Amino acid sequence: MGRELLYRTAIGPKGQGYYLEKFSLLERRLYHRASWNWSAAIFGPFWIAHRRIGYHYSFILTFIVAFSTYWGWEQTGGGAAIALGLVSYIVLFPVAANILYFSVVKEYCAKTKDESSSEMVALVRDRFETVPDKVSRSRASR
């Protein structure tokens, strides 16, 4: 069972080329630095939900923004706090998003290694498949 098949299953049809390239670089350790993810920058918690990474990461993102805004307010007493909160959201999260997504997918795929090939694909699909992907797959099977 190829890991790439599991990654393709986890990623789904949208964005496969982009994420497979990032995953390949991260897996071969050719890519040691973070990269920018426009979808994560624009959609934030919605990107997390769409990629089915885990709701707790949305809470972490919200906490980072709230904490940096509060800390900035305490330090500057005003408008710079909002700027600091936005910078933490707009810069820090999108830079780490691909690494976060890769680590979640890789960890889950590693947990399924004791299953048979078809069971592995089914488990990964069930964990990461989005509602639009499920609808598309059910329409295609009709």
Side-chain angles (χ1 to χ4, degrees):
M1 166 64 45
R3 189 171 289 203
E4 185 176 332
L5 175 61
L6 292 176
Y7 288 166
R8 283 182 186 280
T9 304
I11 294 166
K14 292 187 179 177
Q16 236 182 41
Y18 173 81
Y19 288 111
L20 285 174
E21 177 186 338
K22 298 295 182 186
F23 285 12
S24 173
L25 292 171
L26 286 166
E27 192 157 60
R28 291 181 299 168
R29 300 190 189 280
L30 297 175
Y31 198 66
H32 295 288
R33 59 186 170 81
S35 64
W36 187 262
N37 185 315
W38 278 107
S39 296
I42 294 168
F43 300 110
F46 300 107
W47 177 83
I48 291 172
H50 173 70
R51 288 290 162 195
R52 303 213 36 207
I53 292 176
Y55 66 89
H56 52 283
Y57 290 109
S58 292
F59 292 125
I60 291 169
L61 176 62
T62 304
F63 174 77
I64 289 170
V65 172
F67 177 77
S68 59
T69 304
Y70 171 77
W71 182 81
W73 192 273
E74 289 294 315
Q75 298 300 314
T76 64
I82 295 169
L84 184 63
L86 288 174
V87 165
S88 69
Y89 169 74
I90 293 172
V91 175
L92 296 180
F93 175 66
V95 164
N98 290 330
I99 295 170
L100 171 67
Y101 188 32
F102 172 69
S103 63
V104 169
V105 170
K106 183 178 177 181
E107 181 181 336
Y108 191 80
C109 289
K111 288 180 183 178
T112 63
K113 69 181 177 184
D114 294 334
E115 307 294 331
S116 72
S117 297
S118 59
E119 288 174 342
M120 287 173 68
V121 170
L123 286 170
V124 170
R125 182 185 303 123
D126 289 345
R127 165 63 174 83
F128 289 101
E129 189 172 45
T130 62
V131 172
D133 294 339
K134 287 179 184 177
V135 170
S136 296
R137 191 166 47 89
S138 70
R139 286 183 183 161
S141 66
R142 288 183 194 171

